[in-house]
Amino acid sequence: MLVGLVLVALRLVPGSPLRPATAAHPAGSAGRSTNTPTDRSDRPQPTPSPSPSLEPLPFQAQELDLDIKGWYAWSVLDKRTGKIIGSKNMGETSTTASMIKSWIVADYLRRANEAGQTPSDAKLDDATQIIRDSDNTRAEQFYNGVGRSASIKRLIATCKLTDSKVAADGGWSRTALSPRDTARLGLCISDGRAAGPKWTKWLLNEMRLVRGVGDFGIRKAFPTAQQKTMAIKNGWIDRQREQEMHINCLAIGDTWTMGVMVRYPINMGYEYGMKNCQKITEALLRPAT
Protein backbone atom coordinates (compact mmCIF):
# COMPACT_ATOMS: atom_id res chain seq x y z
CA MET A 1 0.00 0.00 0.00
CA LEU A 2 2.81 2.39 0.87
CA VAL A 3 4.64 1.52 -2.32
CA GLY A 4 1.52 2.21 -4.33
CA LEU A 5 1.10 5.64 -2.75
CA VAL A 6 4.74 6.50 -3.53
CA LEU A 7 4.29 5.54 -7.20
CA VAL A 8 1.18 7.68 -7.52
CA ALA A 9 3.00 10.62 -5.92
CA LEU A 10 5.93 10.28 -8.33
CA ARG A 11 3.55 10.61 -11.35
CA LEU A 12 2.63 14.07 -10.06
CA VAL A 13 6.19 15.34 -9.55
CA PRO A 14 7.47 17.60 -12.47
CA GLY A 15 10.38 15.97 -14.29
CA SER A 16 9.55 12.52 -12.92
CA PRO A 17 10.07 9.73 -15.47
CA LEU A 18 6.65 8.45 -14.37
CA ARG A 19 4.89 11.81 -15.19
CA PRO A 20 2.67 11.40 -18.34
CA ALA A 21 3.73 13.38 -21.49
CA THR A 22 1.65 16.47 -22.37
CA ALA A 23 0.97 17.99 -25.81
CA ALA A 24 3.58 20.55 -26.83
CA HIS A 25 1.23 22.41 -29.12
CA PRO A 26 -0.27 25.77 -28.18
CA ALA A 27 -3.99 26.07 -27.74
CA GLY A 28 -5.87 25.67 -30.96
CA SER A 29 -3.03 23.79 -32.73
CA ALA A 30 -3.31 20.32 -31.14
CA GLY A 31 -2.36 17.52 -33.48
CA ARG A 32 -0.86 19.85 -36.19
CA SER A 33 2.64 18.95 -37.35
CA THR A 34 5.01 21.90 -37.58
CA ASN A 35 6.31 20.45 -40.85
CA THR A 36 2.90 20.46 -42.57
CA PRO A 37 2.32 23.45 -44.93
CA THR A 38 -0.43 25.80 -43.81
CA ASP A 39 -3.55 25.58 -45.97
CA ARG A 40 -4.48 29.18 -46.86
CA SER A 41 -6.95 28.33 -49.59
CA ASP A 42 -9.87 29.40 -47.45
CA ARG A 43 -8.32 32.73 -46.47
CA PRO A 44 -9.04 36.01 -48.30
CA GLN A 45 -6.40 36.69 -50.98
CA PRO A 46 -4.99 40.20 -51.50
CA THR A 47 -6.37 42.03 -54.53
CA PRO A 48 -3.63 43.12 -56.97
CA SER A 49 -3.39 46.85 -57.59
CA PRO A 50 -4.84 47.78 -60.98
CA SER A 51 -2.40 49.04 -63.62
CA PRO A 52 -2.75 52.77 -64.18
CA SER A 53 -4.90 53.38 -67.26
CA LEU A 54 -3.71 55.71 -70.01
CA GLU A 55 -5.58 58.89 -70.72
CA PRO A 56 -7.62 58.42 -73.89
CA LEU A 57 -6.40 60.15 -77.03
CA PRO A 58 -8.40 63.18 -78.15
CA PHE A 59 -9.59 61.14 -81.13
CA GLN A 60 -12.05 58.26 -81.34
CA ALA A 61 -12.09 55.62 -84.05
CA GLN A 62 -15.15 55.88 -86.25
CA GLU A 63 -16.22 55.63 -89.86
CA LEU A 64 -16.78 59.10 -91.25
CA ASP A 65 -19.52 59.99 -93.68
CA LEU A 66 -18.69 63.58 -94.55
CA ASP A 67 -19.88 65.69 -97.44
CA ILE A 68 -16.44 65.79 -99.06
CA LYS A 69 -15.90 65.39 -102.78
CA GLY A 70 -13.11 63.14 -103.97
CA TRP A 71 -10.93 60.78 -101.90
CA TYR A 72 -9.87 61.17 -98.29
CA ALA A 73 -8.24 59.02 -95.61
CA TRP A 74 -6.85 59.47 -92.11
CA SER A 75 -4.78 57.72 -89.43
CA VAL A 76 -3.83 58.35 -85.78
CA LEU A 77 -0.93 56.68 -83.95
CA ASP A 78 -0.73 56.47 -80.14
CA LYS A 79 2.91 57.32 -79.32
CA ARG A 80 2.65 55.52 -75.95
CA THR A 81 1.53 52.15 -77.28
CA GLY A 82 2.19 52.22 -81.02
CA LYS A 83 -1.46 51.41 -81.73
CA ILE A 84 -2.83 52.83 -84.98
CA ILE A 85 -6.44 53.66 -85.79
CA GLY A 86 -7.71 55.02 -89.06
CA SER A 87 -10.07 54.88 -91.98
CA LYS A 88 -10.45 51.62 -93.86
CA ASN A 89 -8.37 53.08 -96.68
CA MET A 90 -5.57 54.45 -94.46
CA GLY A 91 -3.06 52.26 -96.33
CA GLU A 92 -3.76 53.88 -99.71
CA THR A 93 -1.16 56.35 -100.92
CA SER A 94 -1.14 59.83 -102.38
CA THR A 95 1.69 62.14 -103.44
CA THR A 96 3.17 64.02 -100.49
CA ALA A 97 4.06 67.38 -102.01
CA SER A 98 5.70 69.58 -99.35
CA MET A 99 4.84 67.33 -96.43
CA ILE A 100 7.93 65.21 -97.23
CA LYS A 101 10.19 68.22 -96.53
CA SER A 102 10.02 67.35 -92.83
CA TRP A 103 11.91 64.12 -93.62
CA ILE A 104 14.37 65.76 -96.05
CA VAL A 105 15.49 68.25 -93.39
CA ALA A 106 15.60 65.51 -90.73
CA ASP A 107 17.68 63.26 -92.97
CA TYR A 108 20.14 66.10 -93.67
CA LEU A 109 20.56 66.96 -89.98
CA ARG A 110 21.00 63.35 -88.83
CA ARG A 111 23.53 62.54 -91.55
CA ALA A 112 25.52 65.70 -90.84
CA ASN A 113 25.77 64.75 -87.17
CA GLU A 114 26.72 61.17 -88.00
CA ALA A 115 29.52 62.55 -90.16
CA GLY A 116 30.75 64.70 -87.28
CA GLN A 117 29.65 67.93 -88.98
CA THR A 118 27.75 70.90 -87.60
CA PRO A 119 25.53 72.71 -90.12
CA SER A 120 26.46 76.34 -90.66
CA ASP A 121 24.12 79.11 -89.58
CA ALA A 122 23.31 79.66 -93.25
CA LYS A 123 22.32 75.99 -93.68
CA LEU A 124 20.16 76.09 -90.56
CA ASP A 125 18.49 79.24 -91.89
CA ASP A 126 17.78 77.36 -95.14
CA ALA A 127 16.30 74.48 -93.14
CA THR A 128 14.12 76.93 -91.22
CA GLN A 129 12.72 78.35 -94.46
CA ILE A 130 12.06 74.85 -95.80
CA ILE A 131 10.04 73.90 -92.70
CA ARG A 132 8.36 77.17 -91.71
CA ASP A 133 7.77 78.62 -95.18
CA SER A 134 7.94 75.49 -97.38
CA ASP A 135 10.64 76.93 -99.64
CA ASN A 136 10.84 74.70 -102.74
CA THR A 137 14.19 75.89 -104.09
CA ARG A 138 16.02 75.19 -100.83
CA ALA A 139 14.17 71.86 -100.45
CA GLU A 140 15.47 70.76 -103.85
CA GLN A 141 19.03 71.70 -102.83
CA PHE A 142 18.74 69.69 -99.61
CA TYR A 143 17.20 66.76 -101.50
CA ASN A 144 20.14 66.67 -103.89
CA GLY A 145 22.49 66.81 -100.91
CA VAL A 146 20.97 63.73 -99.23
CA GLY A 147 21.02 61.58 -102.36
CA ARG A 148 17.53 62.18 -103.75
CA SER A 149 15.61 58.86 -103.95
CA ALA A 150 18.19 57.20 -101.66
CA SER A 151 16.84 59.48 -98.93
CA ILE A 152 13.29 58.21 -99.48
CA LYS A 153 14.56 54.64 -99.26
CA ARG A 154 16.13 55.55 -95.90
CA LEU A 155 12.80 57.03 -94.84
CA ILE A 156 10.98 53.78 -95.57
CA ALA A 157 13.60 51.69 -93.76
CA THR A 158 14.24 54.00 -90.80
CA CYS A 159 10.60 54.76 -90.01
CA LYS A 160 9.38 51.22 -90.83
CA LEU A 161 6.85 52.33 -93.44
CA THR A 162 4.77 49.64 -95.11
CA ASP A 163 2.75 51.39 -97.82
CA SER A 164 5.02 54.07 -99.26
CA LYS A 165 7.15 54.17 -102.40
CA VAL A 166 9.83 56.25 -104.08
CA ALA A 167 8.43 58.38 -106.91
CA ALA A 168 8.91 57.00 -110.39
CA ASP A 169 10.69 60.21 -111.42
CA GLY A 170 12.79 60.21 -108.23
CA GLY A 171 11.48 63.61 -107.13
CA TRP A 172 10.51 64.46 -103.56
CA SER A 173 7.11 65.95 -104.41
CA ARG A 174 5.72 62.74 -105.92
CA THR A 175 6.84 60.46 -103.09
CA ALA A 176 3.90 58.14 -102.35
CA LEU A 177 2.86 58.06 -98.68
CA SER A 178 -0.28 56.74 -97.02
CA PRO A 179 -2.01 58.38 -94.04
CA ARG A 180 -0.88 55.40 -91.95
CA ASP A 181 2.74 55.92 -92.99
CA THR A 182 2.34 59.68 -92.47
CA ALA A 183 1.48 58.99 -88.82
CA ARG A 184 4.52 56.67 -88.62
CA LEU A 185 6.70 59.45 -90.08
CA GLY A 186 5.39 61.70 -87.29
CA LEU A 187 6.45 59.15 -84.68
CA CYS A 188 9.84 58.76 -86.37
CA ILE A 189 10.42 62.52 -86.11
CA SER A 190 9.10 62.68 -82.55
CA ASP A 191 11.18 59.81 -81.12
CA GLY A 192 14.44 60.96 -82.69
CA ARG A 193 15.02 58.33 -85.35
CA ALA A 194 14.58 60.84 -88.19
CA ALA A 195 16.80 63.76 -87.18
CA GLY A 196 18.87 62.02 -84.50
CA PRO A 197 19.15 62.92 -80.82
CA LYS A 198 21.05 66.18 -81.40
CA TRP A 199 18.57 67.81 -83.79
CA THR A 200 15.15 66.38 -82.94
CA LYS A 201 14.20 69.11 -80.49
CA TRP A 202 15.30 71.78 -82.97
CA LEU A 203 13.27 70.25 -85.81
CA LEU A 204 10.11 69.83 -83.72
CA ASN A 205 10.35 73.47 -82.65
CA GLU A 206 10.64 74.58 -86.29
CA MET A 207 7.58 72.49 -87.15
CA ARG A 208 5.64 74.22 -84.36
CA LEU A 209 6.51 77.54 -86.01
CA VAL A 210 5.09 76.75 -89.46
CA ARG A 211 3.50 79.95 -90.71
CA GLY A 212 1.73 81.57 -93.60
CA VAL A 213 -0.12 79.53 -96.21
CA GLY A 214 1.25 76.25 -94.82
CA ASP A 215 -0.39 76.72 -91.43
CA PHE A 216 -3.65 74.85 -91.90
CA GLY A 217 -5.30 71.50 -91.25
CA ILE A 218 -5.10 69.25 -88.21
CA ARG A 219 -3.99 71.65 -85.52
CA LYS A 220 -6.60 74.23 -86.54
CA ALA A 221 -9.22 71.84 -85.10
CA PHE A 222 -7.83 72.47 -81.58
CA PRO A 223 -8.03 75.48 -79.23
CA THR A 224 -5.46 78.18 -79.92
CA ALA A 225 -3.38 77.40 -76.82
CA GLN A 226 -3.02 73.75 -77.87
CA GLN A 227 -2.16 74.63 -81.46
CA LYS A 228 1.12 76.18 -80.33
CA THR A 229 2.28 72.84 -78.88
CA MET A 230 1.70 70.83 -82.09
CA ALA A 231 4.39 70.28 -84.70
CA ILE A 232 3.06 70.18 -88.27
CA LYS A 233 4.12 69.95 -91.91
CA ASN A 234 1.56 70.10 -94.69
CA GLY A 235 1.66 69.59 -98.43
CA TRP A 236 -0.48 71.07 -101.21
CA ILE A 237 -0.14 70.90 -104.99
CA ASP A 238 -2.20 70.95 -108.16
CA ARG A 239 -1.42 67.84 -110.19
CA GLN A 240 -1.89 68.87 -113.79
CA ARG A 241 -1.26 65.37 -115.13
CA GLU A 242 -4.03 63.87 -112.99
CA GLN A 243 -6.13 67.07 -112.93
CA GLU A 244 -6.34 66.71 -109.14
CA MET A 245 -5.52 68.69 -106.03
CA HIS A 246 -3.44 66.73 -103.49
CA ILE A 247 -3.60 68.13 -99.94
CA ASN A 248 -1.81 66.40 -97.06
CA CYS A 249 -1.52 67.10 -93.33
CA LEU A 250 0.93 65.80 -90.71
CA ALA A 251 0.66 66.76 -87.03
CA ILE A 252 2.55 65.65 -83.91
CA GLY A 253 0.93 66.07 -80.49
CA ASP A 254 2.10 65.14 -77.00
CA THR A 255 0.78 61.57 -77.12
CA TRP A 256 -0.19 61.09 -80.76
CA THR A 257 0.68 61.66 -84.40
CA MET A 258 -1.83 62.05 -87.21
CA GLY A 259 -1.96 61.96 -91.00
CA VAL A 260 -4.81 63.19 -93.19
CA MET A 261 -4.82 63.13 -97.02
CA VAL A 262 -7.37 64.36 -99.54
CA ARG A 263 -7.63 64.36 -103.35
CA TYR A 264 -10.31 66.02 -105.47
CA PRO A 265 -10.87 67.74 -108.85
CA ILE A 266 -8.29 70.40 -109.63
CA ASN A 267 -10.82 73.13 -110.39
CA MET A 268 -11.97 73.21 -106.72
CA GLY A 269 -8.80 74.98 -105.59
CA TYR A 270 -6.45 74.63 -102.62
CA GLU A 271 -8.66 76.00 -99.89
CA TYR A 272 -11.24 73.24 -100.25
CA GLY A 273 -8.73 70.57 -99.27
CA MET A 274 -7.07 72.67 -96.59
CA LYS A 275 -10.41 73.16 -94.85
CA ASN A 276 -11.26 69.47 -95.21
CA CYS A 277 -8.08 68.39 -93.38
CA GLN A 278 -9.45 70.40 -90.46
CA LYS A 279 -13.01 69.17 -90.99
CA ILE A 280 -11.95 65.51 -90.87
CA THR A 281 -9.96 66.13 -87.67
CA GLU A 282 -12.88 67.91 -86.01
CA ALA A 283 -15.19 64.99 -86.85
CA LEU A 284 -12.81 62.58 -85.06
CA LEU A 285 -12.34 64.57 -81.85
CA ARG A 286 -13.93 63.27 -78.69
CA PRO A 287 -16.80 65.40 -77.36
CA ALA A 288 -15.70 67.86 -74.68
CA THR A 289 -16.51 66.64 -71.15
Side-chain angles (χ1 to χ4, degrees):
M1 217 173 153
L2 180 59
V3 172
L5 290 172
V6 170
L7 292 175
V8 171
L10 287 174
R11 290 171 59 85
L12 301 177
V13 176
S16 168
L18 298 179
R19 182 179 175 88
T22 57
H25 304 291
S29 62
R32 181 185 298 165
S33 169
T34 56
N35 295 324
T36 303
T38 304
D39 182 6
R40 295 184 174 88
S41 61
D42 58 344
R43 297 187 183 182
Q45 299 298 311
T47 303
S49 300
S51 300
S53 57
L54 296 174
E55 286 291 323
L57 296 180
F59 310 96
Q60 52 189 353
Q62 57 181 302
E63 287 299 318
L64 301 181
D65 184 15
L66 304 176
D67 184 20
I68 295 177
K69 295 186 182 298
W71 173 92
Y72 64 92
W74 63 273
S75 182
V76 173
L77 185 150
D78 189 330
K79 289 162 59 175
R80 303 162 300 181
T81 65
K83 181 180 178 181
I84 296 175
I85 60 173
S87 55
K88 290 180 179 178
N89 59 349
M90 65 178 172
E92 296 180 20
T93 63
S94 191
T95 65
T96 62
S98 292
M99 188 174 69
I100 199 66
K101 292 172 183 174
S102 58
W103 166 259
I104 294 172
V105 170
D107 197 30
Y108 165 77
L109 293 170
R110 188 193 70 260
R111 284 164 58 81
N113 186 60
E114 290 172 351
Q117 302 169 355
T118 299
S120 66
D121 289 344
K123 274 292 187 183
L124 289 178
D125 184 63
D126 287 343
T128 288
Q129 292 186 60
I130 293 170
I131 298 298
R132 296 192 197 182
D133 302 316
S134 209
D135 187 288
N136 286 336
T137 300
R138 288 176 171 83
E140 185 69 17
Q141 293 170 352
F142 270 53
Y143 191 56
N144 288 332
V146 294
R148 298 186 65 79
S149 60
S151 177
I152 305 305
K153 292 176 182 177
R154 285 193 295 273
L155 160 65
I156 294 170
T158 301
C159 300
K160 301 187 185 316
L161 308 187
T162 59
D163 313 315
S164 304
K165 297 179 181 178
V166 176
D169 63 4
W172 52 265
S173 179
R174 281 191 173 270
T175 301
L177 242 66
S178 65
R180 175 167 55 194
D181 278 352
T182 298
R184 288 171 174 152
L185 168 59
L187 177 64
C188 196
I189 292 171
S190 180
D191 66 19
R193 283 174 291 156
K198 182 174 181 179
W199 291 105
T200 293
K201 185 177 179 180
W202 184 92
L203 177 58
L204 286 169
N205 186 63
E206 292 300 310
M207 292 174 69
R208 294 185 185 102
L209 297 173
V210 168
R211 58 199 174 192
V213 67
D215 184 14
F216 64 86
I218 296 169
R219 75 176 176 187
K220 293 296 184 180
F222 291 83
T224 303
Q226 287 182 255
Q227 291 180 28
K228 297 176 181 178
T229 69
M230 297 177 190
I232 66 167
K233 191 72 189 88
N234 298 320
W236 61 102
I237 194 167
D238 54 335
R239 293 291 182 204
Q240 295 295 328
R241 186 194 309 169
E242 295 87 351
Q243 283 295 290
E244 292 177 337
M245 299 297 300
H246 291 198
I247 311 294
N248 312 299
C249 299
L250 163 66
I252 303 171
D254 289 340
T255 58
W256 53 270
T257 66
M258 185 176 190
V260 178
M261 296 180 134
V262 297
R263 289 195 307 263
Y264 53 92
I266 196 169
N267 60 2
M268 299 182 71
Y270 292 111
E271 194 171 325
Y272 181 76
M274 292 173 172
K275 287 183 175 179
N276 280 328
C277 266
Q278 178 178 342
K279 182 177 181 179
I280 290 166
T281 306
E282 289 171 342
L284 294 166
L285 289 176
R286 293 182 182 277
T289 57

